[in-house]
Amino acid sequence: MPAKLPSDIAARQVAGNLLAWYDAHARDLPWRSPPGTNAPDPYRVWLSEIMLQQTTVATVRPRFEEFVARWPDIESLAKADDATLMTAWAGLGYYARARNLIACARAVISEHGGAFPATEEGLRGLPGVGAYTAAAIAAIAFGARAVVVDANVARVVARLFAIAEPLPAAMPDIRAATDSITPDARAGDFAQAMMDLGSSICTPRSPHCLSCPLSAHCRAYGEGDPERLPVKRPKAGKPQRYGTIFWVERDGQVLLVRRPPKGLLGGMRALPTGPWADSPPGLADPPLAGAWRMVGGTVDHVFTHFRLELALAVASADRHSGNGIGDEWWPIADIESAGLPTVFAKAARAIRRAG
DNA sequence: AAGCCGTGGCT
DNA sequence: TAGCCAAGGCT
């Protein structure tokens, strides 16, 4: 069931109203140039778009500032070593983004002469740059007329056109509808305006339709129940898994390992763990032989597709204990600077509290 | 195509 | 509180 599209005149009114609203209400964000200006830095646009994937503006803002202070341009980022970059990314989640970030920076240097491709097609070929991100960079950094559809835009458009088909099956209709209202000029501002509108006015629950510049054109508002859109498929439940953290000390240092390069928390520094199973594995598969003892309490963590309950085991090692490849003895007093993913940072804090 | 892949804020 | 949600990409 194709969406009913407004006339060309209505489409122009939607874009005009939205851009006028944006001119008055655009947020001041460090990667964003003032509305109407046309000199954004593609490097900063790209970096912000990668960081913002599935991540809130509030979380990204300080981390973006750290990154651009440390690596102000694509050349400096391409020269960073992998471990340093992964440490800097720690806590942001979806660590494949960090692996792709440095791969992308190096590809821009080695395959594109140090300049980002200016077209959607060219951008789409870069590591970590998918359909959304390619369109966003093309529009925001290069002023191209690209159809930018993220979760905010999808919600706004599903309501504006009253598209009732469930996501993600509705995406082709939503994309076509977005195309029909995307202006030729200021496509980058239009995209950012749609995202700002989605995050502040056209919210998932309790949208603020009385403040919306598009309400006069919104079919869902006209029909009286915009909150019901977009329709989503129910999500599967998260299974519960169990594991054990092995905290072993030697001369005021703790043993850290490097996770395998792909998969969950891939490439990140970590505390040693045994197997993650459907029931508590106890002291199975410790990183080294020793007098392990369980300490009280557990650490709970929720990942995207399962829950994890970690038991805590501690031991002391003598100075001749063997090291595996990638193992490091890290000063316990500086554990916060090790770049541990949040689940391990939580475990470290719990163990240090337990003494 | 649908599952994998983090984390924190909000309700 | 427990679930929902987020400026998605990759396989």
Side-chain angles (χ1 to χ4, degrees), chain A residues 81-319:
Chain A
D81 68 70
D82 298 51
T84 301
L85 192 89
M86 300 307 282
T87 299
W89 194 272
L92 275 173
Y94 284 143
Y95 297 100
R97 291 185 298 170
R99 302 193 298 269
N100 285 329
L101 192 77
I102 195 157
C104 181
R106 292 170 183 165
V108 168
I109 296 297
S110 64
E111 299 173 22
H112 299 279
F116 276 89
T119 66
E120 263 188 276
E121 184 183 6
L123 290 160
R124 185 68 179 77
L126 295 169
V129 178
Y132 160 76
T133 303
I137 297 173
I140 297 168
F142 298 108
R145 185 193 177 284
V147 179
V148 180
V149 184
D150 77 323
N152 288 299
V153 176
R155 182 173 58 255
V156 171
V157 169
R159 289 171 178 170
L160 195 56
F161 292 79
I163 297 172
E165 185 178 10
L167 287 172
M171 278 308 294
D173 278 4
I174 289 174
R175 184 171 301 279
T178 306
D179 195 351
S180 75
I181 58 173
T182 299
D184 293 328
R186 298 187 67 187
D189 284 348
F190 178 82
Q192 294 179 88
M194 289 285 278
M195 294 189 277
D196 276 16
L197 189 78
S199 67
S200 64
I201 303 286
C202 196
T203 48
R205 281 167 292 186
S206 304
H208 307 108
C209 300
L210 295 183
S211 303
C212 181
L214 308 186
S215 59
H217 295 89
C218 182
R219 274 191 69 186
Y221 179 63
E223 294 170 3
D225 189 14
E227 187 171 346
R228 75 182 180 89
L229 297 176
V231 178
K232 296 189 174 183
R233 291 188 58 180
K235 295 176 181 177
K238 298 178 194 290
Q240 179 74 51
R241 293 187 191 167
Y242 301 86
T244 301
I245 291 274
F246 292 103
W247 177 273
V248 53
E249 298 187 10
R250 186 184 80 179
D251 296 336
Q253 300 179 307
V254 62
L255 181 65
L256 301 183
V257 300
R258 180 73 60 181
R259 306 260 314 165
K262 293 187 178 183
L264 189 74
L265 310 175
M268 298 301 289
R269 201 174 269 139
L271 289 167
T273 62
W276 296 359
D278 293 337
S279 60
L283 294 176
D285 200 15
L288 50 79
W292 293 100
R293 62 183 179 83
M294 308 295 297
V295 304
T298 57
V299 170
D300 291 286
H301 194 74
V302 182
F303 290 106
T304 306
H305 57 293
F306 66 95
R307 301 170 184 281
L308 182 63
E309 179 186 294
L310 290 168
L312 310 171
V314 301
S316 296
D318 62 56
R319 63 180 62 256

